[in-house]
Amino acid sequence: KMVVPNSAISSIIGHQGEVLKRLCSSTGCCINASVRVPGMHERLICFSGAHGSVVQAAKEVWWTIQPNPHLQEHLRFCYPGVNLRLGIWAGPEKQKAVPLIPPSHIRDYTKRELLNYLHQAAFRETLMRYCLFGNVKNVMKNNSMGTIADATIETWQLRSGEVA
C-alpha cells in the first residue's frame, strides 16, 4: 500500500486510465486506487501481485508522483481524533449490507460460492491478506478451501464483531 496526495491521482491513473493500464501491463501487478474519503487529503494505492512486480510498480508510482507540488506537505500526515473504519477506503458502494455467512454454515457452501460471497462482503484488506483477488478460476485453483474458510471467518468477525 502507498498513500499519495489526492492531487497526484490523476498523474497515476492518466487520461481514461491509460497510465494505470500501461503500468499494470508492464509490471504484471494489479493496482487499485481508493475512492476519495471526505476530510482526507490522501488516497490509498494498493498493489497486489508477485513481490518483484509490486516493487517495480511501487517504484514507478513513486517516480510518477515526485513532481507533485503537494507531495512535501503530505510526507507526514496526522488526523488527530479521526478513527477510520476498516474498509473505509473502498467507498460507500462496497460497504453495502451483504448477509453474512456464519462460520457454522461454511460447510454448506461450495468454494466458488464462498469466493463470490467474499468478493461482495469482505474488506479489501481481507481479500489482499488471503490473496483472493483476480480471476475466480485461478483464485479457486491457487487457494484451499481452508484458506477461503479462514477469510470467511475473518469477514464474519470484522463485519459482525462476533467471535466464532
Side-chain angles (χ1 to χ4, degrees):
K1 297 178 185 179
M2 180 185 291
V3 177
V4 300
N6 279 336
S7 58
I9 288 294
S10 61
S11 63
I12 296 168
I13 296 173
H15 182 68
Q16 296 182 340
E18 288 302 316
V19 173
L20 191 60
K21 288 176 195 170
R22 180 187 48 76
L23 185 57
C24 290
S25 175
S26 68
T27 62
C29 184
C30 181
I31 305 167
N32 291 299
S34 70
V35 296
R36 192 178 284 245
V37 175
M40 302 293 290
H41 303 288
E42 297 83 21
R43 303 270 288 272
L44 190 63
I45 304 293
C46 296
F47 304 90
S48 61
H51 176 73
S53 40
V54 168
V55 170
Q56 183 183 358
K59 284 180 181 179
E60 291 283 333
V61 168
W62 186 81
W63 281 111
T64 301
I65 67 172
Q66 289 310 299
N68 186 283
H70 301 288
L71 188 60
Q72 286 296 320
E73 65 192 72
H74 293 281
L75 287 178
R76 294 183 189 196
F77 56 93
C78 181
Y79 291 90
V82 175
N83 186 11
L84 296 176
R85 296 183 327 274
L86 187 63
I88 189 73
W89 296 102
E93 71 281 354
K94 293 289 186 183
Q95 296 172 22
K96 61 187 176 196
V98 174
L100 298 177
I101 295 176
S104 59
H105 291 116
I106 290 174
R107 69 179 78 80
D108 299 337
Y109 294 88
T110 65
K111 210 171 168 181
R112 180 179 293 276
E113 289 171 332
L114 287 175
L115 189 56
N116 287 334
Y117 158 75
L118 287 168
H119 282 162
Q120 292 177 3
F123 293 121
R124 180 180 290 174
E125 292 87 346
T126 301
L127 295 174
M128 289 179 73
R129 184 174 11 272
Y130 290 94
C131 300
L132 299 177
F133 278 119
N135 178 294
V136 173
K137 185 178 175 182
N138 290 337
V139 172
M140 285 179 48
K141 185 171 79 172
N142 295 327
N143 291 281
S144 69
M145 181 63 166
T147 300
I148 294 173
D150 289 346
T152 304
I153 292 168
E154 182 175 311
T155 299
W156 170 265
Q157 292 170 340
L158 292 172
R159 296 270 318 270
S160 72
E162 296 183 24
V163 178

